[in-house]
Amino acid sequence: ASGASSNPCSDEYHGSGPNSEPETQAIVNYANRVFPESQRRSDPEKQMNDALGDEIMGMYMDIHSTGEFIYYPWGHADKNSPDDDAYQAIARKMSFKNGYDLWASGFDFLYPVSGDSSDFI
């Protein structure tokens, strides 16, 4: 898998299976409580062209303080989300305040990552 390692000693270890690690389980459980099921993506690769629409409850962005990046869909592919205008508007405002770069298609998309939380939520 891109952006992941099968080595348990690696910083990019993907775990023994989907959502196998406690940190990942905590994020998934939180997202399941906050975002309605209609807003979560069960299969991001197959749902890449499905816009969330105007009636959503909120948006999720991943802020990486170590690399100083703001992630939003998509992390696994260098392709714009159908909701790119909304994500980009918020990410640019956040970037203005914290100086972080946008990790998204057309910006600083460095490499595909698997299991990125911004693809799931």
Side-chain angles (χ1 to χ4, degrees):
S2 299
S5 172
S6 59
N7 179 352
C9 296
S10 171
D11 288 341
E12 289 85 26
Y13 178 55
H14 54 60
S16 60
N19 303 327
S20 62
E21 304 310 298
E23 300 87 351
T24 306
Q25 291 171 11
I27 291 171
V28 169
N29 290 337
Y30 175 76
N32 287 342
R33 285 193 311 272
V34 173
F35 296 105
E37 188 171 346
S38 62
Q39 192 169 327
R40 298 188 301 257
R41 293 180 167 89
S42 59
D43 190 342
E45 291 184 30
K46 289 183 180 173
Q47 295 171 292
M48 285 180 67
N49 297 317
D50 298 348
L52 293 174
D54 295 332
E55 302 300 320
I56 61 173
M57 298 292 294
M59 298 175 84
Y60 178 89
M61 294 180 148
D62 197 351
I63 301 171
H64 282 251
S65 58
T66 302
E68 297 187 349
F69 283 103
I70 301 168
Y71 288 21
Y72 60 90
W74 300 109
H76 69 279
D78 189 3
K79 182 178 178 182
N80 287 340
S81 158
D83 302 297
D84 191 69
D85 289 343
Y87 280 117
Q88 193 177 133
I90 293 170
R92 285 179 180 275
K93 289 180 182 188
M94 293 167 63
S95 176
F96 178 77
K97 294 289 186 184
N98 65 16
Y100 288 15
D101 291 324
L102 280 57
W103 179 309
S105 184
F107 295 98
D108 284 326
F109 187 89
L110 302 177
Y111 52 85
V113 294
S114 60
D116 182 51
S117 54
S118 65
D119 288 351
F120 165 73
I121 304 169

